Structure formats: structure tokens, C-alpha cells
Amino acid sequence: MSAQLTALQEDALTEFFNIAIGRAAAMLSQMIGEGIALSVPVIQLVGVREAAEVLGGPDRRLCSVMQTLRGDFSAEAMLVFPENQSLEIVRLLLRDSVPLQDITEMEQDALTEVGNIILNACIGTLTNLLSGDFAIGLPQFRLGACSEILAAGRRADEDCMLMLHIDFRVERHSITGYVIFMQDLPSLQALVQSVDRYIARHVSDAARP
């Protein structure tokens, strides 16, 4: 994969998503009634095969929530968790008030709600700061092998993955998830151009007396 970010572009995107993750953490904290910390996102720009390895290999079972983003640039935004941590997230949301046998029936709805909050925070912050016009699709839940999850939003082998590694920490609980923006090269280039325009505006504003 030939695409890469400059240090300035990576810093700008990290700042965007840091703001977004802070907003998502505040909303999730209200839902579960406990303080919650989401780590500063670590950004990686990788190809499809590298993404599968980062997520634990093509056969690892994952849960995902995906939303499409169409506008000045396009992407399939996904929140991805290991399947073995999904019930832990559901228990946090339901505050242990639901019998274990009923939790699995609520798993899809609860995880979709978490995905909706985190993805909307990321997409909303990104599109607001970059001043673009976008249409955002409804969240879609998927459960399956890593290769199946990535194939659901992939259009071609040369597609890029803008991956954000985030850690959830709620007192005794520690859950790892990823936010992924899947893009083809033209869409990634359009995103980078939008970031460059944002940086240019920021530098111009800072230079004014």
C-alpha cells in the first residue's frame, strides 16, 4: 500500500479523534453510571491483510458495528470488538440487572447502541471540523470471523484501513476495541486533502494579528 500520512496530518487526525473519543466516553459514562476512560487513539494506516493481523488474525471471532459515510470523501466506519469481550460490554450497559440467559438476546441491540455512540462521535467530529457535507448510514451489526467482517465493508484488495486503537477502562474492566475507517485510495486521498485544507486554515488563522 503506497498511501501514508505526514506527521502533521497524523497529528491533526489524532487530535480530531481524541476530541471525538472524549465525547463518546462522556455519553457512555452516563449510560453505565460509572466513570469510563477511553484511551488516546493510536492511528495506523494499513492494508487489508495487515488489518486482519492487527485484529488477531483472519479466523478470530469479532463483533462489529458499521456505518457508511458518503460525501466529500467516503468510508465504511466500523467499531470492532473481540467476540469474547462483547458480553462484558453488555453487562456494563445493563448494570447486571438482567439474567445471564437473557443477556445474549440483548447483545446485538446493546452493541449496536455502543457502536452508534462511538462511531457518530468520530464521524460527527471529523465532518464538523473538516466542514464537509456528508450522508451517514444506519448502524449495522455483524458477528463473524475477522476475514468476513473486513470483507463486508471492503470493495477491493487495495483498500486502506485507517485504524484507531482504543482501550475502554471502567474500574475493574478493561476492554479493547478498534474504530476502523475503510477507504479506497481515492477516498483516502480526498480525506487527506480535507485535512490539509483544515491545517492551512488553522495556520492562516494563527498568523493573523
Side-chain angles (χ1 to χ4, degrees):
M1 188 189 60
S2 59
Q4 57 183 2
L5 299 172
T6 67
L8 196 56
Q9 291 163 347
E10 185 172 325
D11 286 347
L13 283 169
T14 300
E15 182 59 25
F16 294 167
F17 289 116
N18 201 24
I19 294 170
I21 293 302
R23 292 173 178 169
M27 296 179 70
L28 288 172
S29 179
Q30 289 182 346
M31 289 177 67
I32 66 173
E34 295 183 37
I36 184 170
L38 301 183
S39 66
V40 175
V42 176
I43 291 182
Q44 292 176 280
L45 191 59
V46 299
V48 175
R49 291 187 182 87
E50 294 168 276
E53 293 304 318
V54 171
L55 294 171
D59 297 327
R60 190 181 193 189
R61 299 281 298 175
L62 301 174
C63 294
S64 77
V65 179
M66 184 177 76
Q67 287 186 272
T68 59
L69 176 65
R70 298 288 182 265
D72 293 351
F73 55 84
S74 297
E76 276 73 40
M78 289 197 299
L79 177 67
V80 179
F81 292 109
E83 182 183 19
N84 59 7
Q85 294 185 355
S86 62
L87 288 181
E88 191 73 16
I89 298 169
V90 178
R91 287 195 185 98
L92 287 172
L93 289 174
L94 300 179
R95 306 187 190 186
D96 296 326
S97 62
V98 177
L100 181 62
Q101 62 269 25
D102 294 334
I103 286 180
T104 53
E105 298 178 7
M106 301 179 179
E107 181 180 8
Q108 179 172 334
D109 289 343
L111 292 176
T112 300
E113 183 61 21
V114 171
N116 194 36
I117 290 170
I118 294 179
L119 291 178
N120 273 323
C122 291
I123 293 172
T125 301
L126 189 65
T127 55
N128 285 336
L129 290 173
L130 296 180
S131 304
D133 293 322
F134 296 90
I136 302 171
L138 295 174
Q140 301 174 45
F141 177 84
R142 285 190 175 86
L143 172 65
C146 176
S147 57
E148 297 168 344
I149 296 291
L150 294 180
R154 183 162 58 94
R155 294 182 292 271
D157 288 340
E158 65 271 20
D159 281 0
C160 305
M161 310 276 181
L162 182 64
M163 302 185 67
L164 313 177
H165 178 196
I166 52 177
D167 289 321
F168 294 69
R169 298 195 184 281
V170 186
E171 295 186 352
R172 294 164 297 170
H173 308 279
S174 179
I175 301 167
T176 298
Y178 285 86
V179 174
I180 302 173
F181 279 67
M182 303 180 69
Q183 298 183 287
D184 57 22
L185 280 174
S187 291
L188 176 63
Q189 290 165 351
L191 168 61
V192 170
Q193 288 169 0
S194 294
V195 172
D196 285 341
R197 287 193 292 271
Y198 170 86
I199 294 171
R201 287 196 302 271
H202 187 74
V203 170
S204 176
D205 290 345
R208 289 177 182 171

